[in-house]
Amino acid sequence: MKWRRTHYSAEIKPEMDGQEVVIMGWVHSIRALGKIIFVILRDREGTVQIVAPKQKVGEELFKQIKKLGAEDVVAIKGKVIANEKAPNGFEILPLELEVLNTAQRPLPLDPAEKVPAELDTRLENRFLDLRRPKVQAVFKIRSEMLKSVRNTLYNEGFIEVNTPKLVASCTEGGTELFPISYFEKEAFLGQSPQLYKQMLMASGLDRVFEIAPIFRAEEHNTRRHLNEATSIDIEMAFADDKDAMDILEKVVYNAFLDVYENRKREIDVLGIEFELPSKKFDRITYDEAIDIANAKGVEISWGEDLSREAEKAIGEEMGGLYFITDWPSEIRPFYTMPREDNPNICKAFDLMYKDLEISSGAQRIHLYDLLVENIKKKGLNPDGFTYYLEAFKYGMPPHAGWGLGADRFTMILTQQENIRECVLFPRDRQRLTP
Ligand code: AMO
């Protein structure tokens, strides 16, 4: 490489007329019209038009440029020429070209998006697919969201932690575990940091969060499920379900705000209408949710988990972001705190966006005897939870927390219909490569 990049495409302005720049990227398209060649160069931040008239650039450089093909990697030293008719009000007159690498042709996928491709083909060739500005926009928004979430949680006094993903027991019910062979034993890929984040509440760290993969052996292919997802998990001590919901509201609202303020170009590239939610989200109880579903003709009785049809009916009625609270204890995990006044109802909540659940959480049981009793009630064996249970014997404070699906959150921020659009290399029943 002879030079270093001086500017990304988006950093060049017509006011820089006459200035020399070095740009680097991929040949997005090339058009030779007799004695003039137009090249669109693409980099991470956008595209720039390079115009090479033979009589200005000279025989040698003209010949070099003419040989370029789609997706070749180049560095161009050139002069900014203000031109009202050019895209963004300027073009580049090339002075020197360095071809850094050539691309084989035909391309398995067209990053210039002239030829549409099925999602499957796109995922097969994900590195090329990722050159598409719309696809890149999704991941830039995802990155902005993760940065925002971290900022909010650090500001709220949380400490970032990392817990093991090779684990010995289940947390969210036994059916969705991936078993792996672990030397002489059987182990599993962690389906949630749940037990670890709770054990940390006995450590005195008070407020922890983790952003990490979770593994779930979901059998079914849906547009909302992955076998490897990224979960944003928090746990906070000396807190109840309401406190955890307040933090979740802040985290989600701030991420919307940061994307709105800092990713205008990506929102534009995606061509979506981006609306900020209100700072406080609606809260309905499970009972009210059931009533809404029933009123819309969806049959569901108290104590059942919400069916897909029920979620759709409730989502239609509620729109946007809203919490569903006060769930039947029966259908929530063993660690969920029952309400003191009515143990059939527990202090659990889900955060929904229309018909999509993006987070669930609860105040947890911090009392040893009640926890053991609840484990048994769910048909689980307390012996499988020995290490976890120890943490409840020697001073466990009341605590609460939630898990927020980063992939699903990206889906709603970017308005994608399929969760696979929001993951670089998705893992589902059919896909383990690339
Ligand atoms: P839950 O199982 O509801 O709760 O998961 C929390 C959030 O993680 C995301 N999620 C998924 N995303 C994509 N594909 C999947 N297969 C998948 N599974 C889960 C969802 C979901 O809302 N331990 C609790 C959280 C807690 O109480 O702190 C838990 O794991 O967005």
Side-chain angles (χ1 to χ4, degrees), residues 67 69 104 106 136 145 153 192 194 200 230 244 302 329 353 358 390 423 426:
K67 271 202 277 180
Q104 286 186 25
Q136 280 200 1
M145 176 273 286
L153 291 173
S192 161
Q194 184 65 36
L200 286 175
T230 300
W302 199 93
S329 303
Y353 180 80
I358 61 166
E390 282 295 295
V423 180

Side-chain angles (χ1 to χ4, degrees), residues 68-185:
L68 293 176
E71 301 307 312
D72 286 348
V73 186
V74 297
I76 290 175
K77 186 183 270 185
K79 204 196 263 181
V80 180
I81 311 274
N83 175 359
E84 272 178 25
K85 285 191 220 128
N88 308 320
F90 72 89
E91 58 199 26
I92 303 289
L93 173 71
L95 304 171
E96 270 184 83
L97 164 76
E98 188 185 8
V99 178
L100 298 169
N101 212 343
T102 55
Q104 286 186 25
R105 279 173 287 273
L107 297 159
L109 188 85
D110 171 27
E113 285 183 87
K114 281 192 209 101
V115 193
E118 296 290 326
L119 181 60
D120 231 28
T121 314
R122 291 178 37 217
L123 292 176
E124 280 297 316
N125 302 282
R126 192 57 150 166
F127 66 93
L128 270 175
D129 185 48
L130 283 161
R131 290 186 196 170
R132 296 178 161 191
K134 275 195 174 154
V135 180
Q136 280 200 1
V138 169
F139 291 97
K140 288 184 196 164
I141 289 175
R142 182 179 166 119
S143 161
E144 186 73 36
M145 176 273 286
L146 288 172
K147 180 175 156 191
S148 171
V149 167
R150 281 201 166 86
N151 281 343
T152 304
L153 291 173
Y154 280 119
N155 284 339
E156 293 290 331
F158 284 79
I159 289 171
E160 186 163 7
V161 297
N162 307 99
T163 64
K165 303 303 153 210
L166 290 171
V167 298
S169 61
C170 73
T171 53
E172 307 301 310
T175 53
E176 301 160 356
L177 279 165
F178 279 115
I180 51 165
S181 76
Y182 190 73
F183 305 108
E184 295 78 28
K185 290 193 194 113

Side-chain angles (χ1 to χ4, degrees), residues 252-266:
V252 169
Y253 177 81
N254 287 348
F256 266 91
L257 187 64
D258 284 333
V259 168
Y260 181 73
E261 287 185 343
N262 306 325
R263 292 292 169 182
K264 287 201 160 52
R265 199 176 78 84
E266 285 70 24

Side-chain angles (χ1 to χ4, degrees), residues 186-221:
E186 187 183 50
F188 306 96
L189 294 176
Q191 52 180 186
S192 161
Q194 184 65 36
L195 305 190
Y196 291 97
K197 62 180 185 169
Q198 280 195 265
M199 282 193 274
L200 286 175
M201 293 302 97
S203 72
L205 284 173
D206 267 13
R207 291 180 166 210
V208 301
F209 80 98
E210 176 167 20
I211 301 179
I214 54 170
F215 303 92
R216 300 198 175 186
E218 310 275 1
E219 298 266 352
H220 307 291
N221 257 325

